[in-house]
PDB file of all heavy atoms in Angstrom:
ATOM      1  N   THR A   1      68.313  60.707 100.405  1.00 52.00           N
ATOM      2  CA  THR A   1      67.623  59.402 100.376  1.00 52.00           C
ATOM      3  C   THR A   1      66.134  59.631 100.661  1.00 52.00           C
ATOM      4  O   THR A   1      65.726  60.641 101.259  1.00 52.00           O
ATOM      5  CB  THR A   1      68.213  58.528 101.573  1.00 52.00           C
ATOM      6  OG1 THR A   1      67.998  59.206 102.827  1.00 52.00           O
ATOM      7  CG2 THR A   1      69.678  58.222 101.330  1.00 52.00           C
ATOM      8  N   PHE A   2      65.363  58.709 100.144  1.00 51.00           N
ATOM      9  CA  PHE A   2      63.918  58.686 100.332  1.00 51.00           C
ATOM     10  C   PHE A   2      63.408  57.401 100.951  1.00 51.00           C
ATOM     11  O   PHE A   2      63.825  56.349 100.388  1.00 51.00           O
ATOM     12  CB  PHE A   2      63.159  58.911  98.996  1.00 51.00           C
ATOM     13  CG  PHE A   2      63.386  60.349  98.420  1.00 51.00           C
ATOM     14  CD1 PHE A   2      64.391  60.561  97.540  1.00 51.00           C
ATOM     15  CD2 PHE A   2      62.661  61.391  98.791  1.00 51.00           C
ATOM     16  CE1 PHE A   2      64.675  61.814  96.964  1.00 51.00           C
ATOM     17  CE2 PHE A   2      62.811  62.652  98.337  1.00 51.00           C
ATOM     18  CZ  PHE A   2      63.840  62.868  97.388  1.00 51.00           C
ATOM     19  N   GLU A   3      62.661  57.457 101.951  1.00 55.00           N
ATOM     20  CA  GLU A   3      62.078  56.272 102.510  1.00 55.00           C
ATOM     21  C   GLU A   3      60.801  55.903 101.658  1.00 55.00           C
ATOM     22  O   GLU A   3      60.193  56.825 101.166  1.00 55.00           O
ATOM     23  CB  GLU A   3      61.561  56.441 103.956  1.00 55.00           C
ATOM     24  CG  GLU A   3      62.814  56.825 104.924  1.00 55.00           C
ATOM     25  CD  GLU A   3      63.818  55.618 104.934  1.00 55.00           C
ATOM     26  OE1 GLU A   3      63.373  54.484 104.987  1.00 55.00           O
ATOM     27  OE2 GLU A   3      65.052  55.869 105.032  1.00 55.00           O
ATOM     28  N   PRO A   4      60.502  54.595 101.540  1.00 48.00           N
ATOM     29  CA  PRO A   4      59.351  54.251 100.681  1.00 48.00           C
ATOM     30  C   PRO A   4      58.051  54.983 101.109  1.00 48.00           C
ATOM     31  O   PRO A   4      57.299  55.445 100.249  1.00 48.00           O
ATOM     32  CB  PRO A   4      59.250  52.723 100.920  1.00 48.00           C
ATOM     33  CG  PRO A   4      60.657  52.375 101.235  1.00 48.00           C
ATOM     34  CD  PRO A   4      61.230  53.440 102.038  1.00 48.00           C
ATOM     35  N   GLU A   5      57.824  55.143 102.412  1.00 55.00           N
ATOM     36  CA  GLU A   5      56.572  55.809 102.840  1.00 55.00           C
ATOM     37  C   GLU A   5      56.550  57.295 102.451  1.00 55.00           C
ATOM     38  O   GLU A   5      55.534  57.861 102.238  1.00 55.00           O
ATOM     39  CB  GLU A   5      56.355  55.620 104.276  1.00 55.00           C
ATOM     40  CG  GLU A   5      57.403  56.146 105.202  1.00 55.00           C
ATOM     41  CD  GLU A   5      58.531  55.282 105.554  1.00 55.00           C
ATOM     42  OE1 GLU A   5      58.733  54.198 104.915  1.00 55.00           O
ATOM     43  OE2 GLU A   5      59.346  55.562 106.367  1.00 55.00           O
ATOM     44  N   GLU A   6      57.705  57.901 102.299  1.00 56.00           N
ATOM     45  CA  GLU A   6      57.860  59.279 101.920  1.00 56.00           C
ATOM     46  C   GLU A   6      57.466  59.502 100.508  1.00 56.00           C
ATOM     47  O   GLU A   6      56.976  60.567 100.083  1.00 56.00           O
ATOM     48  CB  GLU A   6      59.263  59.856 102.179  1.00 56.00           C
ATOM     49  CG  GLU A   6      59.663  59.881 103.616  1.00 56.00           C
ATOM     50  CD  GLU A   6      58.766  60.816 104.495  1.00 56.00           C
ATOM     51  OE1 GLU A   6      58.629  61.897 104.058  1.00 56.00           O
ATOM     52  OE2 GLU A   6      58.303  60.336 105.484  1.00 56.00           O
ATOM     53  N   LEU A   7      57.720  58.549  99.654  1.00 52.00           N
ATOM     54  CA  LEU A   7      57.438  58.658  98.166  1.00 52.00           C
ATOM     55  C   LEU A   7      55.981  58.857  97.943  1.00 52.00           C
ATOM     56  O   LEU A   7      55.506  59.397  96.853  1.00 52.00           O
ATOM     57  CB  LEU A   7      58.009  57.533  97.388  1.00 52.00           C
ATOM     58  CG  LEU A   7      59.533  57.454  97.403  1.00 52.00           C
ATOM     59  CD1 LEU A   7      59.939  56.162  96.684  1.00 52.00           C
ATOM     60  CD2 LEU A   7      60.144  58.613  96.745  1.00 52.00           C
ATOM     61  N   GLY A   8      55.120  58.374  98.784  1.00 53.00           N
ATOM     62  CA  GLY A   8      53.637  58.533  98.660  1.00 53.00           C
ATOM     63  C   GLY A   8      53.080  59.866  99.162  1.00 53.00           C
ATOM     64  O   GLY A   8      51.853  60.062  98.972  1.00 53.00           O
ATOM     65  N   LYS A   9      53.850  60.744  99.705  1.00 62.00           N
ATOM     66  CA  LYS A   9      53.333  61.984 100.173  1.00 62.00           C
ATOM     67  C   LYS A   9      52.690  62.800  99.078  1.00 62.00           C
ATOM     68  O   LYS A   9      53.183  62.763  97.919  1.00 62.00           O
ATOM     69  CB  LYS A   9      54.430  62.816 100.886  1.00 62.00           C
ATOM     70  CG  LYS A   9      54.747  62.362 102.189  1.00 62.00           C
ATOM     71  CD  LYS A   9      55.552  63.355 102.982  1.00 62.00           C
ATOM     72  CE  LYS A   9      55.574  63.016 104.436  1.00 62.00           C
ATOM     73  NZ  LYS A   9      56.297  63.999 105.152  1.00 62.00           N
ATOM     74  N   SER A  10      51.728  63.552  99.399  1.00 80.00           N
ATOM     75  CA  SER A  10      51.038  64.317  98.364  1.00 80.00           C
ATOM     76  C   SER A  10      51.891  65.512  97.956  1.00 80.00           C
ATOM     77  O   SER A  10      52.731  65.994  98.747  1.00 80.00           O
ATOM     78  CB  SER A  10      49.702  64.782  98.929  1.00 80.00           C
ATOM     79  OG  SER A  10      49.860  65.751  99.875  1.00 80.00           O
ATOM     80  N   ARG A  11      51.597  66.047  96.778  1.00 82.00           N
ATOM     81  CA  ARG A  11      52.272  67.237  96.376  1.00 82.00           C
ATOM     82  C   ARG A  11      52.028  68.417  97.285  1.00 82.00           C
ATOM     83  O   ARG A  11      52.931  69.284  97.506  1.00 82.00           O
ATOM     84  CB  ARG A  11      51.792  67.692  94.965  1.00 82.00           C
ATOM     85  CG  ARG A  11      52.318  66.725  93.834  1.00 82.00           C
ATOM     86  CD  ARG A  11      51.874  67.158  92.528  1.00 82.00           C
ATOM     87  NE  ARG A  11      50.441  66.840  92.429  1.00 82.00           N
ATOM     88  CZ  ARG A  11      49.761  66.913  91.258  1.00 82.00           C
ATOM     89  NH1 ARG A  11      50.308  67.288  90.143  1.00 82.00           N
ATOM     90  NH2 ARG A  11      48.483  66.580  91.248  1.00 82.00           N
ATOM     91  N   GLN A  12      50.848  68.459  97.860  1.00 84.00           N
ATOM     92  CA  GLN A  12      50.555  69.581  98.742  1.00 84.00           C
ATOM     93  C   GLN A  12      51.394  69.493 100.042  1.00 84.00           C
ATOM     94  O   GLN A  12      51.846  70.526 100.499  1.00 84.00           O
ATOM     95  CB  GLN A  12      49.095  69.500  99.215  1.00 84.00           C
ATOM     96  CG  GLN A  12      48.150  70.011  98.035  1.00 84.00           C
ATOM     97  CD  GLN A  12      47.888  68.867  97.064  1.00 84.00           C
ATOM     98  OE1 GLN A  12      48.135  67.671  97.249  1.00 84.00           O
ATOM     99  NE2 GLN A  12      47.401  69.213  95.868  1.00 84.00           N
ATOM    100  N   GLU A  13      51.609  68.355 100.557  1.00 87.00           N
ATOM    101  CA  GLU A  13      52.430  68.152 101.803  1.00 87.00           C
ATOM    102  C   GLU A  13      53.888  68.465 101.439  1.00 87.00           C
ATOM    103  O   GLU A  13      54.511  69.215 102.320  1.00 87.00           O
ATOM    104  CB  GLU A  13      52.340  66.714 102.294  1.00 87.00           C
ATOM    105  CG  GLU A  13      51.073  66.280 102.897  1.00 87.00           C
ATOM    106  CD  GLU A  13      50.951  64.844 103.178  1.00 87.00           C
ATOM    107  OE1 GLU A  13      51.376  64.055 102.429  1.00 87.00           O
ATOM    108  OE2 GLU A  13      50.501  64.527 104.290  1.00 87.00           O
ATOM    109  N   LEU A  14      54.370  68.105 100.401  1.00 88.00           N
ATOM    110  CA  LEU A  14      55.720  68.415  99.936  1.00 88.00           C
ATOM    111  C   LEU A  14      55.855  69.911  99.773  1.00 88.00           C
ATOM    112  O   LEU A  14      56.771  70.530 100.225  1.00 88.00           O
ATOM    113  CB  LEU A  14      56.175  67.648  98.686  1.00 88.00           C
ATOM    114  CG  LEU A  14      57.487  67.981  98.155  1.00 88.00           C
ATOM    115  CD1 LEU A  14      58.611  67.665  99.120  1.00 88.00           C
ATOM    116  CD2 LEU A  14      57.682  67.221  96.874  1.00 88.00           C
ATOM    117  N   GLY A  15      54.934  70.529  99.073  1.00 91.00           N
ATOM    118  CA  GLY A  15      54.914  71.959  98.802  1.00 91.00           C
ATOM    119  C   GLY A  15      54.969  72.735 100.158  1.00 91.00           C
ATOM    120  O   GLY A  15      55.610  73.733 100.262  1.00 91.00           O
ATOM    121  N   SER A  16      54.065  72.276 100.966  1.00 90.00           N
ATOM    122  CA  SER A  16      53.915  72.942 102.218  1.00 90.00           C
ATOM    123  C   SER A  16      55.242  72.907 103.074  1.00 90.00           C
ATOM    124  O   SER A  16      55.675  73.881 103.700  1.00 90.00           O
ATOM    125  CB  SER A  16      52.827  72.329 103.090  1.00 90.00           C
ATOM    126  OG  SER A  16      52.647  72.878 104.344  1.00 90.00           O
ATOM    127  N   MET A  17      55.902  71.722 103.060  1.00 90.00           N
ATOM    128  CA  MET A  17      57.160  71.623 103.811  1.00 90.00           C
ATOM    129  C   MET A  17      58.253  72.500 103.168  1.00 90.00           C
ATOM    130  O   MET A  17      58.986  73.144 103.840  1.00 90.00           O
ATOM    131  CB  MET A  17      57.643  70.110 103.700  1.00 90.00           C
ATOM    132  CG  MET A  17      58.976  69.921 104.426  1.00 90.00           C
ATOM    133  SD  MET A  17      59.813  68.381 104.030  1.00 90.00           S
ATOM    134  CE  MET A  17      60.347  68.730 102.397  1.00 90.00           C
ATOM    135  N   LEU A  18      58.260  72.582 101.828  1.00 93.00           N
ATOM    136  CA  LEU A  18      59.249  73.407 101.156  1.00 93.00           C
ATOM    137  C   LEU A  18      58.941  74.860 101.481  1.00 93.00           C
ATOM    138  O   LEU A  18      59.884  75.666 101.676  1.00 93.00           O
ATOM    139  CB  LEU A  18      59.311  73.117  99.681  1.00 93.00           C
ATOM    140  CG  LEU A  18      59.853  71.755  99.243  1.00 93.00           C
ATOM    141  CD1 LEU A  18      59.530  71.500  97.797  1.00 93.00           C
ATOM    142  CD2 LEU A  18      61.329  71.713  99.462  1.00 93.00           C
ATOM    143  N   ARG A  19      57.768  75.304 101.464  1.00 95.00           N
ATOM    144  CA  ARG A  19      57.295  76.676 101.832  1.00 95.00           C
ATOM    145  C   ARG A  19      57.814  76.984 103.227  1.00 95.00           C
ATOM    146  O   ARG A  19      58.425  78.113 103.508  1.00 95.00           O
ATOM    147  CB  ARG A  19      55.906  76.875 101.695  1.00 95.00           C
ATOM    148  CG  ARG A  19      55.456  78.385 101.910  1.00 95.00           C
ATOM    149  CD  ARG A  19      53.945  78.619 101.788  1.00 95.00           C
ATOM    150  NE  ARG A  19      53.336  78.094 100.660  1.00 95.00           N
ATOM    151  CZ  ARG A  19      52.546  77.032 100.574  1.00 95.00           C
ATOM    152  NH1 ARG A  19      52.288  76.304 101.689  1.00 95.00           N
ATOM    153  NH2 ARG A  19      52.066  76.558  99.431  1.00 95.00           N
ATOM    154  N   GLU A  20      57.537  76.083 104.169  1.00 93.00           N
ATOM    155  CA  GLU A  20      57.940  76.317 105.559  1.00 93.00           C
ATOM    156  C   GLU A  20      59.504  76.452 105.616  1.00 93.00           C
ATOM    157  O   GLU A  20      59.997  77.289 106.343  1.00 93.00           O
ATOM    158  CB  GLU A  20      57.524  75.194 106.403  1.00 93.00           C
ATOM    159  CG  GLU A  20      56.061  75.196 106.741  1.00 93.00           C
ATOM    160  CD  GLU A  20      55.601  73.944 107.488  1.00 93.00           C
ATOM    161  OE1 GLU A  20      56.336  73.310 108.209  1.00 93.00           O
ATOM    162  OE2 GLU A  20      54.396  73.660 107.309  1.00 93.00           O
ATOM    163  N   LEU A  21      60.235  75.631 104.906  1.00 93.00           N
ATOM    164  CA  LEU A  21      61.678  75.764 104.950  1.00 93.00           C
ATOM    165  C   LEU A  21      62.104  77.093 104.383  1.00 93.00           C
ATOM    166  O   LEU A  21      63.052  77.719 104.848  1.00 93.00           O
ATOM    167  CB  LEU A  21      62.302  74.549 104.104  1.00 93.00           C
ATOM    168  CG  LEU A  21      62.250  73.153 104.784  1.00 93.00           C
ATOM    169  CD1 LEU A  21      62.725  72.142 103.807  1.00 93.00           C
ATOM    170  CD2 LEU A  21      63.098  73.174 106.074  1.00 93.00           C
ATOM    171  N   ARG A  22      61.476  77.546 103.255  1.00 95.00           N
ATOM    172  CA  ARG A  22      61.894  78.772 102.681  1.00 95.00           C
ATOM    173  C   ARG A  22      61.651  79.910 103.575  1.00 95.00           C
ATOM    174  O   ARG A  22      62.511  80.751 103.733  1.00 95.00           O
ATOM    175  CB  ARG A  22      61.008  79.038 101.371  1.00 95.00           C
ATOM    176  CG  ARG A  22      61.241  80.347 100.715  1.00 95.00           C
ATOM    177  CD  ARG A  22      60.428  80.549  99.504  1.00 95.00           C
ATOM    178  NE  ARG A  22      59.096  80.440  99.611  1.00 95.00           N
ATOM    179  CZ  ARG A  22      58.287  81.408 100.170  1.00 95.00           C
ATOM    180  NH1 ARG A  22      58.780  82.477 100.604  1.00 95.00           N
ATOM    181  NH2 ARG A  22      56.945  81.224 100.202  1.00 95.00           N
ATOM    182  N   LYS A  23      60.452  79.900 104.258  1.00 96.00           N
ATOM    183  CA  LYS A  23      60.113  81.033 105.212  1.00 96.00           C
ATOM    184  C   LYS A  23      61.116  81.042 106.393  1.00 96.00           C
ATOM    185  O   LYS A  23      61.519  82.067 106.819  1.00 96.00           O
ATOM    186  CB  LYS A  23      58.685  80.923 105.670  1.00 96.00           C
ATOM    187  CG  LYS A  23      57.715  81.324 104.572  1.00 96.00           C
ATOM    188  CD  LYS A  23      56.360  81.236 105.034  1.00 96.00           C
ATOM    189  CE  LYS A  23      55.355  81.661 104.012  1.00 96.00           C
ATOM    190  NZ  LYS A  23      53.957  81.742 104.408  1.00 96.00           N
ATOM    191  N   ALA A  24      61.438  79.790 106.805  1.00 93.00           N
ATOM    192  CA  ALA A  24      62.359  79.649 108.007  1.00 93.00           C
ATOM    193  C   ALA A  24      63.778  80.227 107.541  1.00 93.00           C
ATOM    194  O   ALA A  24      64.479  80.789 108.406  1.00 93.00           O
ATOM    195  CB  ALA A  24      62.443  78.255 108.476  1.00 93.00           C
ATOM    196  N   ALA A  25      64.076  80.101 106.312  1.00 93.00           N
ATOM    197  CA  ALA A  25      65.396  80.542 105.785  1.00 93.00           C
ATOM    198  C   ALA A  25      65.375  82.044 105.507  1.00 93.00           C
ATOM    199  O   ALA A  25      66.391  82.653 105.197  1.00 93.00           O
ATOM    200  CB  ALA A  25      65.769  79.818 104.518  1.00 93.00           C
ATOM    201  N   GLY A  26      64.143  82.662 105.655  1.00 95.00           N
ATOM    202  CA  GLY A  26      64.044  84.085 105.393  1.00 95.00           C
ATOM    203  C   GLY A  26      64.150  84.463 103.935  1.00 95.00           C
ATOM    204  O   GLY A  26      64.621  85.540 103.678  1.00 95.00           O
ATOM    205  N   LEU A  27      63.660  83.662 103.097  1.00 95.00           N
ATOM    206  CA  LEU A  27      63.856  83.880 101.625  1.00 95.00           C
ATOM    207  C   LEU A  27      62.480  84.088 101.044  1.00 95.00           C
ATOM    208  O   LEU A  27      61.484  83.520 101.406  1.00 95.00           O
ATOM    209  CB  LEU A  27      64.536  82.676 100.892  1.00 95.00           C
ATOM    210  CG  LEU A  27      65.976  82.403 101.227  1.00 95.00           C
ATOM    211  CD1 LEU A  27      66.368  81.061 100.558  1.00 95.00           C
ATOM    212  CD2 LEU A  27      66.870  83.546 100.770  1.00 95.00           C
ATOM    213  N   SER A  28      62.430  85.006 100.092  1.00 96.00           N
ATOM    214  CA  SER A  28      61.231  85.140  99.251  1.00 96.00           C
ATOM    215  C   SER A  28      61.189  84.072  98.143  1.00 96.00           C
ATOM    216  O   SER A  28      62.257  83.409  97.897  1.00 96.00           O
ATOM    217  CB  SER A  28      61.254  86.507  98.636  1.00 96.00           C
ATOM    218  OG  SER A  28      62.207  86.576  97.616  1.00 96.00           O
ATOM    219  N   GLY A  29      60.043  83.891  97.577  1.00 94.00           N
ATOM    220  CA  GLY A  29      59.972  82.982  96.390  1.00 94.00           C
ATOM    221  C   GLY A  29      60.862  83.371  95.296  1.00 94.00           C
ATOM    222  O   GLY A  29      61.555  82.502  94.687  1.00 94.00           O
ATOM    223  N   ASP A  30      60.989  84.662  95.123  1.00 95.00           N
ATOM    224  CA  ASP A  30      61.837  85.205  94.039  1.00 95.00           C
ATOM    225  C   ASP A  30      63.373  84.842  94.313  1.00 95.00           C
ATOM    226  O   ASP A  30      64.090  84.389  93.432  1.00 95.00           O
ATOM    227  CB  ASP A  30      61.781  86.752  93.903  1.00 95.00           C
ATOM    228  CG  ASP A  30      60.447  87.157  93.278  1.00 95.00           C
ATOM    229  OD1 ASP A  30      59.941  86.388  92.442  1.00 95.00           O
ATOM    230  OD2 ASP A  30      59.993  88.245  93.602  1.00 95.00           O
ATOM    231  N   ARG A  31      63.744  85.044  95.530  1.00 96.00           N
ATOM    232  CA  ARG A  31      65.160  84.853  95.915  1.00 96.00           C
ATOM    233  C   ARG A  31      65.483  83.354  95.830  1.00 96.00           C
ATOM    234  O   ARG A  31      66.571  82.983  95.367  1.00 96.00           O
ATOM    235  CB  ARG A  31      65.401  85.384  97.359  1.00 96.00           C
ATOM    236  CG  ARG A  31      66.822  85.374  97.691  1.00 96.00           C
ATOM    237  CD  ARG A  31      67.596  86.502  96.845  1.00 96.00           C
ATOM    238  NE  ARG A  31      68.957  86.245  96.960  1.00 96.00           N
ATOM    239  CZ  ARG A  31      69.827  86.221  95.901  1.00 96.00           C
ATOM    240  NH1 ARG A  31      69.347  86.492  94.726  1.00 96.00           N
ATOM    241  NH2 ARG A  31      71.065  85.961  96.028  1.00 96.00           N
ATOM    242  N   LEU A  32      64.573  82.508  96.280  1.00 96.00           N
ATOM    243  CA  LEU A  32      64.759  81.085  96.189  1.00 96.00           C
ATOM    244  C   LEU A  32      64.904  80.652  94.700  1.00 96.00           C
ATOM    245  O   LEU A  32      65.721  79.884  94.383  1.00 96.00           O
ATOM    246  CB  LEU A  32      63.630  80.266  96.880  1.00 96.00           C
ATOM    247  CG  LEU A  32      63.815  78.744  96.830  1.00 96.00           C
ATOM    248  CD1 LEU A  32      65.098  78.253  97.409  1.00 96.00           C
ATOM    249  CD2 LEU A  32      62.523  78.201  97.524  1.00 96.00           C
ATOM    250  N   ALA A  33      64.033  81.191  93.886  1.00 96.00           N
ATOM    251  CA  ALA A  33      64.093  80.788  92.456  1.00 96.00           C
ATOM    252  C   ALA A  33      65.437  81.190  91.806  1.00 96.00           C
ATOM    253  O   ALA A  33      65.972  80.401  91.073  1.00 96.00           O
ATOM    254  CB  ALA A  33      62.954  81.574  91.708  1.00 96.00           C
ATOM    255  N   VAL A  34      65.993  82.348  92.192  1.00 96.00           N
ATOM    256  CA  VAL A  34      67.294  82.754  91.672  1.00 96.00           C
ATOM    257  C   VAL A  34      68.375  81.766  92.159  1.00 96.00           C
ATOM    258  O   VAL A  34      69.129  81.321  91.365  1.00 96.00           O
ATOM    259  CB  VAL A  34      67.677  84.203  92.155  1.00 96.00           C
ATOM    260  CG1 VAL A  34      69.054  84.508  91.847  1.00 96.00           C
ATOM    261  CG2 VAL A  34      66.723  85.180  91.473  1.00 96.00           C
ATOM    262  N   ARG A  35      68.297  81.356  93.357  1.00 94.00           N
ATOM    263  CA  ARG A  35      69.314  80.362  93.942  1.00 94.00           C
ATOM    264  C   ARG A  35      69.178  79.026  93.231  1.00 94.00           C
ATOM    265  O   ARG A  35      70.159  78.326  93.145  1.00 94.00           O
ATOM    266  CB  ARG A  35      69.107  80.166  95.395  1.00 94.00           C
ATOM    267  CG  ARG A  35      69.572  81.364  96.283  1.00 94.00           C
ATOM    268  CD  ARG A  35      69.472  80.940  97.695  1.00 94.00           C
ATOM    269  NE  ARG A  35      69.925  81.971  98.597  1.00 94.00           N
ATOM    270  CZ  ARG A  35      70.239  81.768  99.838  1.00 94.00           C
ATOM    271  NH1 ARG A  35      70.039  80.629 100.446  1.00 94.00           N
ATOM    272  NH2 ARG A  35      70.732  82.768 100.608  1.00 94.00           N
ATOM    273  N   CYS A  36      67.951  78.718  92.805  1.00 92.00           N
ATOM    274  CA  CYS A  36      67.777  77.389  92.167  1.00 92.00           C
ATOM    275  C   CYS A  36      67.844  77.458  90.654  1.00 92.00           C
ATOM    276  O   CYS A  36      67.788  76.406  90.012  1.00 92.00           O
ATOM    277  CB  CYS A  36      66.426  76.862  92.563  1.00 92.00           C
ATOM    278  SG  CYS A  36      66.232  76.483  94.240  1.00 92.00           S
ATOM    279  N   THR A  37      68.004  78.609  90.111  1.00 94.00           N
ATOM    280  CA  THR A  37      67.998  78.799  88.619  1.00 94.00           C
ATOM    281  C   THR A  37      66.657  78.217  88.099  1.00 94.00           C
ATOM    282  O   THR A  37      66.736  77.537  87.070  1.00 94.00           O
ATOM    283  CB  THR A  37      69.209  78.307  87.852  1.00 94.00           C
ATOM    284  OG1 THR A  37      69.319  76.904  88.031  1.00 94.00           O
ATOM    285  CG2 THR A  37      70.446  78.978  88.382  1.00 94.00           C
ATOM    286  N   MET A  38      65.612  78.479  88.658  1.00 96.00           N
ATOM    287  CA  MET A  38      64.220  78.160  88.155  1.00 96.00           C
ATOM    288  C   MET A  38      63.350  79.440  88.321  1.00 96.00           C
ATOM    289  O   MET A  38      63.736  80.349  88.974  1.00 96.00           O
ATOM    290  CB  MET A  38      63.661  76.887  88.788  1.00 96.00           C
ATOM    291  CG  MET A  38      63.251  77.029  90.242  1.00 96.00           C
ATOM    292  SD  MET A  38      62.438  75.532  91.015  1.00 96.00           S
ATOM    293  CE  MET A  38      63.662  74.325  90.879  1.00 96.00           C
ATOM    294  N   SER A  39      62.269  79.424  87.595  1.00 96.00           N
ATOM    295  CA  SER A  39      61.395  80.627  87.604  1.00 96.00           C
ATOM    296  C   SER A  39      60.681  80.671  88.930  1.00 96.00           C
ATOM    297  O   SER A  39      60.419  79.637  89.618  1.00 96.00           O
ATOM    298  CB  SER A  39      60.414  80.480  86.528  1.00 96.00           C
ATOM    299  OG  SER A  39      59.473  79.486  86.684  1.00 96.00           O
ATOM    300  N   GLN A  40      60.315  81.894  89.333  1.00 96.00           N
ATOM    301  CA  GLN A  40      59.537  82.091  90.559  1.00 96.00           C
ATOM    302  C   GLN A  40      58.225  81.416  90.473  1.00 96.00           C
ATOM    303  O   GLN A  40      57.727  80.900  91.414  1.00 96.00           O
ATOM    304  CB  GLN A  40      59.376  83.605  90.809  1.00 96.00           C
ATOM    305  CG  GLN A  40      58.699  83.916  92.157  1.00 96.00           C
ATOM    306  CD  GLN A  40      57.166  83.856  92.042  1.00 96.00           C
ATOM    307  OE1 GLN A  40      56.602  84.101  91.034  1.00 96.00           O
ATOM    308  NE2 GLN A  40      56.566  83.438  93.142  1.00 96.00           N
ATOM    309  N   SER A  41      57.580  81.376  89.212  1.00 97.00           N
ATOM    310  CA  SER A  41      56.317  80.769  89.117  1.00 97.00           C
ATOM    311  C   SER A  41      56.366  79.264  89.294  1.00 97.00           C
ATOM    312  O   SER A  41      55.495  78.662  89.883  1.00 97.00           O
ATOM    313  CB  SER A  41      55.735  81.127  87.732  1.00 97.00           C
ATOM    314  OG  SER A  41      56.481  80.631  86.706  1.00 97.00           O
ATOM    315  N   LYS A  42      57.505  78.661  88.907  1.00 96.00           N
ATOM    316  CA  LYS A  42      57.737  77.215  89.169  1.00 96.00           C
ATOM    317  C   LYS A  42      57.738  76.920  90.624  1.00 96.00           C
ATOM    318  O   LYS A  42      57.195  76.006  91.127  1.00 96.00           O
ATOM    319  CB  LYS A  42      58.911  76.631  88.445  1.00 96.00           C
ATOM    320  CG  LYS A  42      59.041  75.159  88.492  1.00 96.00           C
ATOM    321  CD  LYS A  42      60.163  74.625  87.694  1.00 96.00           C
ATOM    322  CE  LYS A  42      60.283  73.119  87.812  1.00 96.00           C
ATOM    323  NZ  LYS A  42      61.271  72.574  86.911  1.00 96.00           N
ATOM    324  N   VAL A  43      58.573  77.726  91.387  1.00 96.00           N
ATOM    325  CA  VAL A  43      58.728  77.571  92.783  1.00 96.00           C
ATOM    326  C   VAL A  43      57.304  77.668  93.466  1.00 96.00           C
ATOM    327  O   VAL A  43      56.908  76.887  94.250  1.00 96.00           O
ATOM    328  CB  VAL A  43      59.668  78.613  93.425  1.00 96.00           C
ATOM    329  CG1 VAL A  43      59.603  78.630  94.943  1.00 96.00           C
ATOM    330  CG2 VAL A  43      61.102  78.381  92.931  1.00 96.00           C
ATOM    331  N   SER A  44      56.517  78.708  93.059  1.00 96.00           N
ATOM    332  CA  SER A  44      55.160  78.871  93.593  1.00 96.00           C
ATOM    333  C   SER A  44      54.301  77.686  93.231  1.00 96.00           C
ATOM    334  O   SER A  44      53.576  77.243  94.157  1.00 96.00           O
ATOM    335  CB  SER A  44      54.560  80.205  92.934  1.00 96.00           C
ATOM    336  OG  SER A  44      53.316  80.370  93.354  1.00 96.00           O
TER     337      SER A  44
END
C-alpha cells in the first residue's frame, strides 16, 4: 500500500531508502539485481 503523501517522495529519497535496505540485507547491487531479474545498472 502507498499513502498519498508517500507518492510525492522524490526519486532520490526512494533510491536512498532502497540502498539502505540493500546494505542492511548485506547484498551487493549485483546480487540484488539477480534476485529481481533486472540488470545491475537498473538497480544502480
Side-chain angles (χ1 to χ4, degrees):
T1 61
F2 292 94
E3 297 298 322
E5 62 273 9
E6 295 296 311
L7 294 174
K9 281 195 170 182
S10 74
R11 287 182 287 192
Q12 289 79 17
E13 289 172 317
L14 177 61
S16 179
M17 180 196 72
L18 290 169
R19 183 181 311 105
E20 288 174 24
L21 288 171
R22 175 180 59 76
K23 288 182 178 183
L27 295 172
S28 67
D30 288 329
R31 191 70 198 133
L32 178 58
V34 169
R35 285 188 176 192
C36 296
T37 63
M38 68 176 64
S39 69
Q40 184 278 327
S41 61
K42 183 173 183 177
V43 170
S44 178

